[in-house]
Amino acid sequence: MEDSKKPIGIFDSGIGGLTVAHAISKLMPEEQIVYFGDTAHLPYGDKSPELIHSFVQDISQFLIQKEQCKSVVIACNTASATSYEFLRDKHKGVFPIINVIDPIVEEIVKDSSIKKVGLIATKTTVESGVYQEKLKRRNPNIEMEVLATPLLAPMIEEGFSQDKISHSVIENYLSNPKFKDIDALILGCTHYVLIADEISEYFDGKVRLFDSTDILALKLRDILKKEGLLSKKKESKNKFYISDLTKGFSESASRFYGENLRLELMKLL
Ligand code: DGL
């Protein structure tokens, strides 16, 4: 099969990356996507980089070898922080590997009015220091404050948004003095897109929010175009696999994707 007709592989620790998958599908409806959510090992956000790394190796092998994907998108900040360099070097010159961190960093440095940036993310992403290092390298004058916000992902997964519980958790985190005077906030976890409006309201719309949906989809389209890998016509239906299928995941998956979808169980081990 011609490479351009092959699917785009997208993976995350669970269903959060469906927000990224949807943005990709919306921008490039002629592309087939194969999504893998590693729900059996979720959450990644409080696991060690070594363990996450081993999961990532199995998933990328599945997407590249079994599903014949032409490119792999790491639709998870935590896995991007721990394993992007490894995957990129392993597949250099063969498959484009895209992470969710670089496109956000590139977008932030384009806006010279941004002097102070906040980051909310999982513990592992914050502790990796990857956002901090990449942003400082591109713009040494930018000030950055980071905060691990581990309650947000499970809260969102359980469907809490625009209510008393979400208001109180969001306020508790964002009222941290670190975030005083920030011009921009990175939503450094794929789940957080679902509460972007609520976060924006918290800041009265005065703080620019960056997430990995549209920014990443545009970046991916550029890369596929440059590599001659853009599909002209969708050959097969999208596939959505998860490594542990429960009623809860099935119910919330459509909320994350923004459209109805059917999850299939795929055990890699
Ligand atoms: N989706 C993951 C991310 O973007 C967070 C969820 C988890 O902890 O597994 O970092």
Side-chain angles (χ1 to χ4, degrees):
M1 193 201 289
E2 261 175 56
D3 282 351
S4 63
K5 294 185 174 168
K6 293 178 178 173
I8 298 169
I10 304 172
F11 76 87
D12 176 44
S13 59
I15 51 178
L18 286 169
T19 57
V20 179
H22 189 251
I24 292 172
S25 220
K26 205 171 62 183
L27 185 72
M28 295 177 277
E30 56 295 328
E31 297 288 345
Q32 184 206 356
I33 58 173
V34 176
Y35 182 87
F36 187 91
D38 195 11
T39 48
H41 297 126
L42 166 141
Y44 280 8
D46 52 13
K47 296 206 165 56
S48 69
E50 293 72 26
L51 187 61
I52 297 169
H53 204 56
S54 69
F55 300 149
V56 167
Q57 293 198 51
D58 293 340
I59 300 168
S60 56
Q61 205 168 326
F62 166 74
L63 290 173
I64 291 171
Q65 284 171 10
K66 176 100 195 321
E67 292 293 324
Q68 298 280 303
C69 292
K70 62 184 173 189
S71 173
V72 171
V73 176
I74 311 174
C76 173
N77 288 264
T78 314
S80 293
T82 58
S83 310
Y84 167 63
E85 263 82 19
F86 165 81
L87 276 192
R88 181 202 56 196
D89 293 349
K90 187 168 171 198
H91 301 290
K92 212 171 196 137
V94 192
F95 303 101
I97 307 285
I98 323 294
N99 71 84
V100 281
I101 298 175
D102 288 320
I104 293 184
V105 170
E106 277 169 32
E107 206 56 31
I108 291 176
V109 296
K110 275 189 209 159
D111 184 344
S112 57
S113 71
I114 298 175
K115 308 281 183 239
K116 183 174 173 184
V117 187
L119 164 74
I120 51 172
T122 64
K123 289 182 194 166
T124 306
T125 301
V126 166
E127 280 161 22
S128 74
V130 170
Y131 269 105
Q132 298 91 309
E133 192 243 301
K134 290 193 176 199
L135 207 56
K136 277 275 166 213
R137 196 166 357 119
R138 295 293 205 92
N139 180 356
N141 299 321
I142 215 154
E143 201 185 325
M144 188 168 194
E145 289 290 354
V146 302
L147 185 71
T149 48
L151 283 182
L152 290 181
M155 177 192 91
I156 296 164
E157 224 154 273
E158 288 303 322
F160 293 101
S161 69
Q162 296 290 7
D163 60 18
K164 250 164 51 189
I165 290 181
S166 61
H167 283 333
S168 134
V169 175
I170 289 171
E171 172 164 12
N172 200 284
Y173 282 135
L174 299 184
S175 61
N176 191 305
K178 286 179 170 192
F179 293 151
K180 198 172 172 290
D181 303 331
I182 52 171
D183 308 301
L185 181 70
I186 301 170
L187 308 186
C189 169
T190 47
H191 282 64
Y192 302 171
V193 179
L194 269 72
I195 52 163
D197 288 349
E198 214 170 327
I199 292 177
S200 182
E201 282 159 26
Y202 175 82
F203 289 112
D204 287 331
K206 291 189 182 112
V207 166
R208 194 170 161 200
L209 303 184
F210 288 87
D211 69 54
S212 47
T213 54
D214 297 340
I215 296 175
L216 181 128
L218 288 164
K219 175 81 188 173
L220 176 65
R221 188 176 63 180
D222 284 353
I223 292 173
L224 294 180
K225 193 170 175 197
K226 210 159 84 200
E227 303 274 336
L229 288 175
L230 272 182
S231 161
K232 291 188 185 66
K233 188 171 161 277
K234 192 164 177 163
E235 297 290 325
S236 314
K237 283 210 278 213
N238 294 339
K239 295 182 198 168
F240 298 94
Y241 296 119
I242 58 173
S243 50
D244 186 28
L245 185 55
T246 65
K247 199 163 164 259
F249 288 135
S250 297
E251 281 167 4
S252 33
S254 301
R255 194 158 41 82
F256 277 80
Y257 193 63
E259 282 175 41
N260 280 337
L261 60 82
R262 204 175 64 82
L263 296 172
E264 283 175 62
L265 180 64
M266 176 58 64
K267 291 192 175 152
L268 295 188
L269 299 175

